[in-house]
Amino acid sequence: MVNDFAIRPEDYKLRVDEVITLLSLDQDRTRDGVTILFQLVEETEILLGEQ
């Protein structure tokens, strides 16, 4: 649904899918996923003018 929004972070759905894929018992992979998630949150806040 987010891909239909006029304003959204670039490749939002692909990046969210990657986050979900990276979540695992492997701490390094999970850390990478969390990093991507934080980047998405920051980009969304910028797009919304909250920073």
Side-chain angles (χ1 to χ4, degrees), residues 25-43:
L25 294 176
D26 182 319
Q27 289 182 357
D28 292 330
R29 287 178 51 89
T30 298
R31 188 175 296 114
D32 291 344
V34 170
T35 298
I36 294 168
L37 187 58
F38 276 117
Q39 290 169 344
L40 282 169
V41 170
E42 288 177 350
E43 289 175 34

Side-chain angles (χ1 to χ4, degrees), residues 1-44:
M1 197 159 55
V2 173
N3 277 339
D4 295 333
F5 292 1
I7 300 172
R8 67 182 179 281
E10 188 171 333
D11 298 324
Y12 186 87
K13 181 183 180 329
L14 292 174
R15 292 162 67 191
V16 168
D17 289 345
E18 184 177 6
V19 167
I20 292 168
T21 300
L22 288 169
L23 296 176
S24 70
L25 294 176
D26 182 319
Q27 289 182 357
D28 292 330
R29 287 178 51 89
T30 298
R31 188 175 296 114
D32 291 344
V34 170
T35 298
I36 294 168
L37 187 58
F38 276 117
Q39 290 169 344
L40 282 169
V41 170
E42 288 177 350
E43 289 175 34
T44 302

